[in-house]
Amino acid sequence: MQHEVVSREEWLEARRALLAKEKEATRLRDSVNAARLALPWVKVDKDYVFETPEGRKSLADLFDGRSQLLIYHFMLGPDWDAGCTGCSFLSDHVDGALPHLNHHDVTWVAVSRAPLDKIAAYKQRMGWKFPWVSSFGSDFNFDYHVSFSPEDLAKDKVFYNFTPMQPADANDELPGLSAFYRNDKGEVFHTYSSYARGPEELVGTLMILDRAPKGRNEDSTMNFVRRHDEYEEAAKAPSCCH
């Protein structure tokens, strides 16, 4: 790795210039966060049913008594043998946040179309504790544009990340994050969704790597990532969450 080596004084000058940009980025992030909170909401009138370890539950039930719900659309399809590598990478960061989220009136739930037994097996393999339910047989994943049927993929375009895209660039399952609010009357509202690299800031490891000397040191988006029990295998397949 070749890099310019300078005096401490020259380094400080360059670092102060970068600091100005970092502060600008922080102010921009604050502005984006404010705009996100100001988004209008959409009332959810459709009845969605999920299979959970405690039995069948509605979307309102998933709030678990809280007013805010974050759903991570985890890529694990009915016919998949294992969860998406990139989704697994993100999910490795969730369990430690759960007590903080729960005590701040936020419930986190992962949702996949895989049947519950397949979800349970992969969850046990990864050693995760966060709630994870199945939307198999429901329109939920399709309505929130993270799952695509063979008929969808046979069309000229599919709708993902709020944009029509080529089916060749899609998949039967894609990642995303959706937020919901439940009021005192029990009404549920869809407040926000984010797709593709949108939830990237949830991946603390990436934020740490961004500050390391080599950064993410990747050839393409997250191509270095493996499931946390596969690193010794040095697999060469890229993440499925490009």
Side-chain angles (χ1 to χ4, degrees), residues 146-184:
V146 290
S147 293
F148 304 92
S149 67
E151 292 76 20
D152 292 330
L153 296 173
K155 296 176 182 177
D156 292 336
K157 301 283 185 180
V158 297
F159 190 77
Y160 179 68
N161 202 16
F162 313 106
T163 308
M165 65 183 294
Q166 296 292 332
D169 297 326
N171 197 38
D172 59 333
E173 306 291 336
L174 288 173
L177 178 77
S178 292
F180 300 88
Y181 178 79
R182 186 173 185 258
N183 64 18
D184 292 338

Side-chain angles (χ1 to χ4, degrees), residues 21-110:
K21 291 186 176 182
E22 289 177 334
K23 289 183 176 181
E24 181 182 355
T26 298
R27 289 190 291 269
L28 178 58
R29 183 180 64 203
D30 290 342
S31 175
V32 169
N33 287 342
R36 182 184 296 116
L37 291 176
L39 277 174
W41 295 354
V42 178
K43 187 177 179 182
V44 181
D45 291 318
K46 195 167 185 177
D47 293 326
Y48 296 107
V49 177
F50 303 86
E51 299 291 341
T52 85
E54 296 79 33
R56 293 163 68 84
K57 291 186 178 182
S58 67
L59 180 61
D61 292 332
L62 297 185
F63 283 77
D64 197 23
R66 302 181 182 91
S67 70
Q68 301 167 87
L69 173 67
L70 290 175
I71 286 183
Y72 184 65
H73 303 287
F74 194 113
M75 296 170 62
L76 180 57
D79 301 324
W80 290 33
D81 294 325
C84 161
T85 307
C87 292
S88 301
F89 185 40
L90 184 148
S91 297
D92 279 338
H93 298 77
V94 173
D95 280 348
L98 286 181
H100 308 286
L101 293 174
N102 292 166
H103 285 276
H104 207 56
D105 194 32
V106 177
T107 296
W108 174 282
V109 177

Side-chain angles (χ1 to χ4, degrees), residues 32 36 72 90 160-162 175-177 192-203 207 221 241-242:
V32 169
R36 182 184 296 116
Y72 184 65
L90 184 148
Y160 179 68
N161 202 16
F162 313 106
L177 178 77
Y192 176 76
S193 283
S194 181
Y195 304 99
R197 291 183 63 182
E200 187 174 272
E201 288 185 345
L202 278 63
V203 186
M207 305 302 110
T221 303
C241 288
H242 287 280

